[in-house]
Amino acid sequence: MNCIFCNIEEPRIIDQDALFFVIRDGFPVTEGHSLFIPHRHAPTWFDLTTEEQTALSALLNKHKKLLQDADSTITGFNIGMNCGEDAGQTVMHCHVHLIPRRKGDMEDPKGGVRGVIP
Ligand code: AMP
Ligand code: ZN
């Protein structure tokens, strides 16, 4: 299949379980920006099975801790998904963004993901 995430080179995978794998984003918003991607090609979160949706929590929690253990400047996170082209999705294989945030990384972080529509 002609899909970037179905064809990720093995060395770029930093972790995986039975249902998901994790990579660093190729064009990170902040250092450590990671993507959680189901092995199975499904377009969006809403196309995942309940088992897949549930399994993701454990991997997100694990990497939240790993990132903060490795970098004490990380003081917050944004978790985000773009579901559909009109919501900004560019790779049509479901992925969840975990974006580390650091105090002072922007002038006024208030609102966070609400900023998707300026
Ligand atoms: P979205 O806009 O939500 O579909 O996110 C797609 C994400 O994939 C963006 O954050 C891109 O920076 C990232 N991306 C695109 N191509 C690659 C690639 N070859 N390897 C890693 N990340 C990629
Ligand atoms: Zn795919």
Side-chain angles (χ1 to χ4, degrees):
M1 194 186 286
N2 184 22
C3 164
I4 296 171
F5 292 162
C6 283
N7 293 286
I8 285 287
E9 317 82 68
E10 195 72 28
R12 297 201 47 209
I13 297 177
I14 59 172
D15 195 13
Q16 60 184 314
D17 62 16
L19 297 174
F20 282 82
F21 63 97
V22 186
I23 63 170
R24 292 283 188 246
D25 196 288
F27 307 90
V29 172
T30 67
E31 194 182 333
H33 180 175
S34 306
L35 299 175
F36 295 72
I37 306 170
H39 290 292
R40 185 175 73 85
H41 181 98
T44 79
W45 169 259
F46 300 108
D47 303 297
L48 299 184
T49 63
T50 304
E51 188 191 6
E52 286 168 329
Q53 291 178 345
T54 305
L56 181 58
S57 297
L59 210 51
L60 274 173
N61 291 344
K62 175 181 174 183
H63 282 269
K64 182 255 186 210
K65 184 172 175 357
L66 283 174
L67 283 161
Q68 279 187 312
D69 285 351
D71 181 348
S72 61
T73 68
I74 298 173
T75 49
F77 290 89
N78 295 110
I79 298 174
M81 276 181 270
N82 300 323
C83 300
E85 262 176 26
D86 293 342
Q89 186 173 1
T90 58
V91 178
M92 296 301 153
H93 179 144
C94 176
H95 51 281
V96 177
H97 298 256
L98 180 64
I99 302 176
R101 298 296 304 273
R102 295 162 178 90
K103 193 168 188 57
D105 63 8
M106 64 183 295
E107 200 174 316
D108 181 9
K110 196 173 178 187
V113 297
R114 290 178 57 91
V116 291
I117 298 181

